[in-house]
Every structure is written in C-alpha cells, then in structure tokens.
Amino acid sequence: MLLILFALPAFAGLLLWLARPNVKTSRRIALLISGILIISAAWLVQQTSQGAVQVMAFGGWRPPYGIAFAADALSSAFILLQALLLGITFLALRVEQHGEETLLRAHPLALFLTSGLIGGFLTGDLFNLFVMFEAVLISSYLLLQIPGTRRSLAGALPVIVVNFVASALFLAGLGLLYGMTGSVNLADLSEQLVNAPPNLRRVALALLVVAFGTKAAIVPLSFWMPASYPTLAAPLAALFAGIMTKLGVYALLRIHALISLDPGLSEALIWAGGASALVGVLAALSQYEMRRLLSFHSVSQVGYIVAALGLGEPLGLAAALFFALHHSLVKSSLYLVADELERRNATRDLRKMDFRRTGGGLLALCFGVAAFSLAGLPPLSGFFGKLSVFRAAFEAESFVLLGLLLVASLFTLASMLKIWRFAFARKPAPKKGEFHTQFQPGALGLLVTLILVLGFSAGPVYTYALEAAKENIDGSKYREAVFNAMGEGPIGKP
Amino acid sequence: MLPVIALAIFLLMTVGVYLLMHRSLLRVALGLACIGHSVNLILLSAGRWGERPPIVSSGMQATDVTDPIPQAFALTAIVISMALTLYLLATAVVYSRRGGRAELIPAPENDGEQSSESLSMEFSGRGERDSSCS
Amino acid sequence: MKSFLLQELTRLILPFSVLMAIALLIKGHDAPGGGFVSGLSLAVAGILGFTAYGLGRFRRSLKVEPERVALLGGLIIMISLFAPLVLGQAPLSQGQIQIELSLFSLKLHSALFFDIGVVLAVGGGLCSAACALWETSLTQDGDV
C-alpha cells in the first residue's frame, strides 16, 4: 500500500510523458490518479490514527540495515494533505485559462513532484529523505520553467543555488551522523545518538536544522522564497505555496526526537520561528503585489509552525501539525483568489485593482473565508491553529514568544484587510464599462469548503494531531514497527 | 590520511564559497560543484576512508575494507549534483540566448507594470517558449 | 564541425564504446561498473555521434528521441520495483542465476533488469540534455 502511494504518481507521470495523450485524456488520467491517491491516503490516515505504524522494507533487508518506508499518524496526515492539494491543483488547471502546453507539461511533472513528496513523507531513512528532497526539487525546477520566459528562467536561478547549498549542508550533517553512529535510519539514530559526543552531535544536528530551515523558509534563511513563484501558473503556485515549505517542516517534525536531544537547538528554533512570524508579516504589509504579499505571509506563518515545534512537548508538536495543515489549505486558496483577481483586473498591482472588475459575490466570499481564517478569526480553522500555538507557548511559559506571535497576528489581520480594501471594498472609480466575468468557483470552492470543514471539525483533527505528537515524541511504537519490519528473524535475506 | 582529507574538505569548501560570491553564473556553478565535492569527501570520510582499502579483492574479510555505504551515498550525491549542475548551466545558456546575461541578478521586475496583453499572454501560457527536450 | 577525421574515428570508436557500455552493465553488479557508468559511456558515445555527424543525421539514425529512451528507462525501473511483489516478495528483492559457458561463467542478477532501466534513463537523459544544449548553442551559427 505504501508502495502504491509512492509509485503510482511516478508511474502515471512517466506514462503520461511517454504516451503524450491529448489534453482531455491527460487531464482525466491526472484527476483519476489524484482521486486514487486521496482515497488511499484517507485509508492510511484511518489505519494509522489508532497509533498503528505501517512499514514496508525494501529488498527483504531488515532495518536498520535495509531501507524502510514507515507511515505513522504524522506522515499520513501530510500525505493526505498533499493528495488533496494535488487533486485541487489538477481541477484548477484548465485548458481555457492556462493553455494546452502548460497542462501537458504540468500533469506529469506535478505527479513526479507528488511522488517525491510522498516518498519524503514516508521514508524512515535520512539518506532516502535527501534523495526524495532532490526528486521534489528537480521536478519543482522543471515546473518553474514551464512558462519558458526570461523572467521564469531568471527567477528559478536563485532557488536552485540556495537549495543546492542547503542540500549540501544536509548531506554534510548526514555524513557526520553516519560517522558517529554508523546508521542513517531515523528510528536507529534516535536510540544511538543519545550516547553520542554532544558537541559533534550539536554540529551535525545544526547542519540538518539549517538545511531543513532553508527549505521551510524560516527567517534568516528565507530570502530565496518570495521571489520564486511569480511566473508560475496559478494552480501550480498554489500547490507550491501549500506544500513546498511543508516538506521542510515535516522533516523538522520527523527529526524532532533528535533535535530535542540538544536544548540549544530547540531554543534557536523558537526564536527563529518568532522572528519569521514578525519579519514575514511586516514584509508582507509593505507589498502591493498580491502574490509577493502572500509569499511573505508564508514566511510568517511557517514561523508560527517552527516556533511551536521548537517549544516541543506534545502540545507544541500538535500545534505545529495542526497549523501546517490549516496553513496549506488557506495559502493555496488565497493564491487561487489572487490569480482570479489578477486575471479580472489584468494587473498584479493591488493599487490598480478596481472593485467593479473584481465583482463581489462568490469570489469575495471565498477570499473572506480564507483571509479571515489566515488572520485567525474565531469560527475558522486559523483561530484554532493560532489558539493551539498560543496555548503551547503559554504552557511553556514563553511569554516573549507569545507576545511576538500576538503582534504578528494583528499585522496578519491588517494585511488581509489591506487586500480586502484594495481589491473588494474600494470606492468605484469614475471609469465606465462592464468588466464582470463569469466565475466558476470549482477548485477554489472545494478548498474553501475544506477550510470550513477543518474549522468545524477542529476538535477531532486536533485530537488526532495530539495523538500523532505524543507518538512522535515517544517514538517507541515507530521504532518497534520499523525494527520488526520483517517479523522475527535474522538480519534479512542474504 | 585523515588530516589530508580534512584539509581537502576545508579547501574545497572555501573555494566553493568564494566562487559563490560572484555574480557570474559560470563561477557560481563551479562553486556549487566544489561544495558538492567537499561534502562528498565528508561522506566518504564518515566510512573511515583512507585507513583501509576501499575495494574488496578476493580473499579479504569484509572487516578489512572501508564501509561501502558512504561510497553509495557519495555516488548518489555525485549523480544528483551532476544533474543539478547540468540543469543550472542549461538554464544559464538558454537565458543568455534570450538576451539576458548569465548572471545571478534579480528577476526582471515589472511589478504590475505589465500591459494587459502581455499579462494575458502569460496567463494563457502562450508566452515565448523554449524547445528544450527536458 | 564536420571533419573527416572525426567522422572516421567515430565510426571506429562507436561500436566499441557501445560494447564497453554493455560489458560494464553485465559485469557491474560485483565488479567496478554498473548501470550508471554504463549509461554514462552510452551517453558519451551518443554525444560523440552527433558531434561528428551533426544532430540531424544523428536523430535520423537513432530513430527515437533520446528523451523517450530516458522515459522508457524510468518505466523499466518502476516495473522492476513492482515485479517482486508479483512473486510475493518485498519490492526490490533480488535473485541470481549462474550461467556456465564453455569459456567463462556469467552471473546474471535480477537486478540487471533494474540496471538496464538505469542505463536507458541515464544515457537517454544525458543525451537529450546534450542535444538540447547543442541545438540552442548552434542556432546562431546555423551549423546543425
């Protein structure tokens, strides 16, 4: 089953690229695949929610000698998220809006991206995680190049360079860990590192944290991010904004047991998170281009997640997981709204947007739900996300962080109101003409529904996140499952 | 042997970071390659490389040789960094063919200043295309 | 860049480098070599081919785009990932057979199938990248 989740998208992507069907068939196949993925991911979530861990060892070698895929509650939550976002992206990619060529290229590449992401979420092996990171990055570079314009070429270069350096740091840290323990299996590492020399361990783990932090775009390492997706077709930008930083967040969550061996690192994560939350939102406030504004917001929101993660304890990790799920959905839907706004107004500049071209109605409703969820107004998912982060900060008696985050969320509300004021609530300009275009909510509507569902079922989802967090901190079930992947027996087949 | 490897790691990393400071993409790519190789040396030295022979010949015990797993790591890392360097250089070539200079500079900014025609071109995916296979 | 000398040399070298690639592939499981190296030497052969004869003729004689070769390689890799499942084993499991011929013995692994995929993916991928770069850098001279 784990293999299907990982291999099906890659297989389908290869077939789509090789067979080059026409757009309609391609779109149908892509939607079908994402449907299957959603169903199997939901099944996986249901299986692992009781604390069971699904494991599959490759080649009949028993971990820690062999490579294993393992899915616990944490990984299956992220897998389900990615499957949902993929389906929505495919739904939002339309021939009429984005052109045949974009669709034909985007379908296989997005499937490869998904395969890499799911592989990354599943793998229980640090080196395999590196390979999956690279698979994700390479497909994302190719996706970034789809427009093929000078701007997209130039925009992708800093992303490639920064991520290359981050990957190099990741590998260096991995090399040090292997030199210390002779293992890259996460379950094995968490046992062996306890007795490792603390200074060397700190260096190795710090390298990993910096590498993952770069991918997650937290503040001192985030400068590549806001410039990176300006030319992407909107649904793909939504996918990127929703999930790309989350792979870094997931990796940090996954190695949390290792990070928590070193209190200094957790401390660093807390303050980096707090700084991201504030700096990101201040940068966002000063922007007038909606996509840039939103990507600075991503920096800010990832800050909340990382700060919660640094706080540790089940409360912090649960808050991080819940907030990550909420933020992916909200950020994706805001990107879709941004695209719709830009297309109706034929400009990217908020100042030039006109209320009458924007039209109110459904689009305004969608924006309202997503934006006020991001800002954290009560009945919506963002409220519960922020509440859980604040609670974790409160319980940890980290009041400075609490203050930082509260200020940041005030600014978040302000920046959302800014978009609202410019795009939706502005006084009609004295220009004549009818601009209103037909709006089919489709994918956006689905996303907004998901946000509402997450908001109204916050209780069960939070319980799930809390269980996942407890399990992640305890780690015994994970270790047991991974080490017994092949049942009782020798090391494995010869 | 280990101090020599450590020195090599240090030198490669220094050269790599120095080259990264330049704007020219060619130098940046070379710098990235240097960093990649320095990391590969770190990986290899994690397997106690340099103390024991790296290749098994007949009649040797498995414990007589270097740990092969870091070698596999390094091989994978080499493949990936090769692919990325190739991609970076290809991007640079295509970019300079389009009239840009192969330098790491901010993307041409036309924040909101685009005419509606060019914007709609971009949205419908009918901008200028490249014909690269990959 | 159509030089007579290069073309004749290529004609000589090309079969050998393909042979070398095959040898590296088969011996590669427990001797130095393997799918990746074999793919590289195949790609070098391809690059030599189109440098000597020009891209047009290279494409015509190859009859299939290198890009598709790479994708086919990827497909083979995926299939070999799944194949052991059909036999009721963990994915990526291996088996081996020993073939005794009169002159030499040959050890064949089921991993060979996987390696063939790697050869095609690496060789085809590098070749297609090189073709694309060659094409872009020569369009100004009109030499292709």
Side-chain angles (χ1 to χ4, degrees):
Chain A
M1 196 65 202
L2 301 186
L3 194 66
I4 288 179
L5 275 168
F6 165 66
L8 182 70
F11 202 71
L14 276 169
L15 275 180
L16 275 184
W17 201 340
L18 202 60
R20 290 182 190 157
N22 64 19
V23 183
K24 257 190 179 161
T25 327
S26 171
R27 187 158 187 267
R28 273 191 204 133
I29 294 176
L31 282 172
L32 178 72
I33 298 291
S34 56
I36 297 175
L37 282 180
I38 291 172
I39 293 170
S40 23
W43 177 84
L44 194 65
V45 167
Q46 198 259 324
Q47 286 289 305
T48 53
S49 63
Q50 305 304 322
V53 180
Q54 299 255 330
V55 186
M56 189 200 62
F58 281 102
W61 295 92
R62 191 172 162 190
Y65 304 98
I67 294 170
F69 272 6
D72 60 356
L74 179 67
S75 15
S76 29
F78 276 96
I79 291 171
L80 181 59
L81 177 69
Q82 164 59 16
L84 285 171
L85 284 181
L86 182 76
I88 283 163
T89 307
F90 283 153
L91 211 58
L93 272 174
R94 292 171 164 278
V95 190
E96 309 88 61
Q97 285 173 20
H98 305 102
E100 280 195 19
E101 194 71 7
T102 308
L103 252 72
L104 282 178
R105 290 187 186 213
H107 284 153
L109 288 174
L111 284 168
F112 289 144
L113 184 86
T114 307
S115 168
L117 281 165
I118 292 183
F121 294 144
L122 280 177
T123 187
D125 177 290
L126 213 48
F127 190 76
N128 219 349
L129 184 63
F130 165 75
V131 175
M132 295 303 170
F133 263 121
E134 294 307 311
V136 170
L137 287 175
I138 289 175
S139 357
S140 72
Y141 301 154
L142 293 177
L143 279 171
L144 281 173
Q145 297 298 13
I146 284 181
T149 54
R150 267 185 61 199
R151 200 172 173 213
S152 75
L153 286 167
L157 286 175
V159 184
I160 300 174
V161 173
V162 170
N163 277 304
F164 192 107
V165 175
S167 300
L169 294 179
F170 181 4
L171 264 187
L174 187 144
L176 290 180
L177 284 181
Y178 187 85
M180 272 187 282
T181 62
S183 173
V184 285
N185 186 297
L186 284 167
D188 197 25
L189 273 176
S190 63
E191 276 178 353
Q192 300 223 13
L193 269 185
V194 177
N195 302 316
N199 287 335
L200 197 53
R201 183 178 68 194
R202 170 174 282 190
V203 173
L205 289 176
L207 283 169
L208 290 189
V209 167
V210 169
F212 296 152
T214 311
K215 319 245 173 200
I218 51 177
V219 132
L221 312 162
S222 66
F223 299 104
W224 60 274
M225 226 276 281
S228 57
Y229 327 132
T231 57
L232 219 49
L236 293 172
L239 178 67
F240 273 45
I243 206 76
M244 288 300 276
T245 53
K246 300 300 174 301
L247 185 56
V249 169
Y250 169 79
L252 284 173
L253 275 169
R254 180 49 80 206
I255 64 163
H256 176 264
L258 309 184
I259 298 175
S260 59
L261 290 174
D262 196 323
L265 282 175
S266 304
E267 193 85 350
L269 277 181
I270 293 177
W271 296 119
S276 308
L278 199 60
V279 173
V281 81
L282 285 178
L285 260 180
S286 69
Q287 296 296 322
Y288 280 98
E289 195 185 335
M290 191 157 166
R291 284 199 194 191
R292 282 180 74 85
L293 193 154
L294 289 177
S295 49
F296 276 112
H297 253 298
S298 286
V299 175
S300 161
Q301 305 287 310
V302 166
Y304 286 88
I305 303 175
V306 171
L309 201 157
L311 289 170
E313 304 300 315
L315 274 181
L317 289 194
L321 175 57
F322 187 89
F323 205 96
L325 298 179
H326 139 76
H327 173 239
S328 286
L329 295 177
V330 168
K331 192 46 65 74
S332 294
S333 51
L334 282 177
Y335 262 88
L336 289 180
V337 172
D339 173 55
E340 191 66 30
L341 281 179
E342 283 169 1
R343 216 149 36 83
R344 287 187 186 183
N345 291 289
T347 174
R348 287 170 188 269
D349 194 335
L350 275 175
R351 285 166 295 193
K352 294 188 182 152
M353 287 191 180
D354 186 335
F355 166 69
R356 286 174 309 157
R357 290 188 225 199
T358 310
L362 271 176
L363 185 62
L365 185 70
C366 290
F367 173 77
V369 170
F372 293 118
S373 178
L374 187 76
L377 292 191
L380 300 164
S381 60
F383 172 71
F384 299 103
K386 284 194 171 155
L387 188 68
S388 56
V389 175
F390 293 157
R391 188 169 155 218
F394 189 77
E395 296 280 330
E397 303 193 334
S398 180
F399 296 112
V400 183
L401 178 69
L402 192 62
L404 268 178
L405 296 183
L406 276 171
V407 173
S409 53
L410 271 182
F411 283 133
T412 310
L413 184 59
S415 64
M416 285 299 120
L417 284 175
K418 173 178 168 182
I419 299 181
W420 178 266
R421 192 172 82 88
F422 276 113
F424 291 101
R426 217 169 167 198
K427 266 191 301 191
K431 236 196 267 174
K432 293 250 155 81
E434 187 59 46
F435 295 102
H436 189 73
T437 48
Q438 207 63 38
F439 175 51
Q440 297 157 327
L444 182 57
L446 254 170
L447 256 178
V448 170
T449 318
L450 277 176
I451 295 173
L452 288 174
V453 167
L454 185 62
F456 287 116
S457 62
V461 177
Y462 185 72
T463 320
Y464 178 87
L466 204 59
E467 285 302 315
K470 277 180 189 153
E471 203 181 296
N472 191 21
I473 287 178
D474 177 32
S476 59
K477 271 184 190 158
Y478 189 80
R479 274 198 290 273
E480 197 183 323
V482 168
F483 287 141
N484 291 324
M486 307 305 296
E488 296 304 316
I491 281 173
K493 283 190 327 181
Chain B
M1 190 66 185
L2 218 51
V4 180
I5 298 172
L7 190 68
I9 292 171
F10 165 72
L11 281 178
L12 277 172
M13 191 60 96
T14 321
V15 170
V17 171
Y18 174 73
L19 286 174
L20 264 190
M21 298 291 132
H22 288 80
R23 280 174 61 162
S24 154
L25 247 185
L26 186 63
R27 293 192 181 199
V28 170
L30 282 175
L32 288 180
C34 284
I35 290 179
H37 287 307
S38 126
V39 168
N40 287 337
L41 285 180
I42 294 181
L43 282 179
L44 285 178
S45 58
R48 306 288 180 273
W49 177 59
E51 293 169 15
R52 305 182 204 137
I55 296 177
V56 192
S57 54
S58 52
M60 281 174 90
Q61 290 293 315
T63 47
D64 292 341
V65 291
T66 311
D67 188 348
I69 291 180
Q71 297 178 9
F73 290 168
L75 180 63
T76 315
I78 289 171
V79 173
I80 290 173
S81 74
M82 179 207 73
L84 284 179
T85 313
L86 182 68
Y87 180 75
L88 194 64
L89 289 176
T91 312
V93 168
V94 176
Y95 185 56
S96 60
R97 290 286 142 188
R98 293 275 160 78
R101 296 179 64 185
E103 286 182 341
L104 262 186
I105 43 174
E109 293 274 353
N110 21 17
D111 294 347
E113 303 299 326
Q114 284 167 314
S115 65
S116 56
E117 290 90 350
S118 76
L119 199 70
S120 66
M121 285 272 281
E122 211 174 300
F123 280 131
S124 57
R126 280 183 281 110
E128 44 173 337
R129 309 214 58 87
D130 63 336
S131 58
S132 82
C133 299
S134 55
Chain C
M1 204 165 45
K2 283 184 182 159
S3 95
F4 172 72
L5 202 60
L6 187 62
Q7 291 194 347
E8 287 308 303
L9 274 176
T10 308
R11 198 190 299 274
L12 270 176
I13 292 172
L14 219 53
F16 286 105
S17 58
V18 173
L19 198 64
M20 166 108 169
I22 295 173
L24 280 172
L25 170 67
I26 292 176
K27 296 293 287 179
H29 194 275
D30 38 15
F36 180 68
V37 182
S38 166
L40 282 185
S41 41
L42 213 57
V44 168
I47 291 170
L48 190 64
F50 73 70
T51 323
Y53 293 108
L55 212 52
R57 195 169 153 198
F58 175 73
R59 285 238 169 94
R60 275 195 300 282
S61 56
L62 200 62
K63 290 195 178 63
V64 55
E65 289 163 54
E67 183 193 348
R68 294 175 83 81
V69 174
L71 291 172
L72 190 69
L75 218 54
I76 291 178
I77 292 176
M78 296 307 289
I79 290 171
S80 69
L81 188 69
F82 276 116
L85 285 179
V86 181
L87 303 174
Q89 301 210 355
L92 284 177
S93 300
Q94 307 168 5
Q96 62 181 43
I97 48 167
Q98 191 97 15
I99 300 174
E100 296 288 344
L101 296 175
S102 52
L103 285 177
F104 56 94
S105 72
L106 193 61
K107 202 160 72 175
L108 287 183
H109 280 264
S110 67
L112 189 67
F113 193 62
F114 179 82
D115 261 353
I116 291 173
V118 175
V119 171
L120 294 181
V122 171
L126 276 181
C127 240
S128 74
C131 282
L133 278 180
W134 185 260
E135 224 166 20
T136 4
S137 53
L138 281 192
T139 37
Q140 279 191 338
D141 315 335
D143 187 13
V144 182

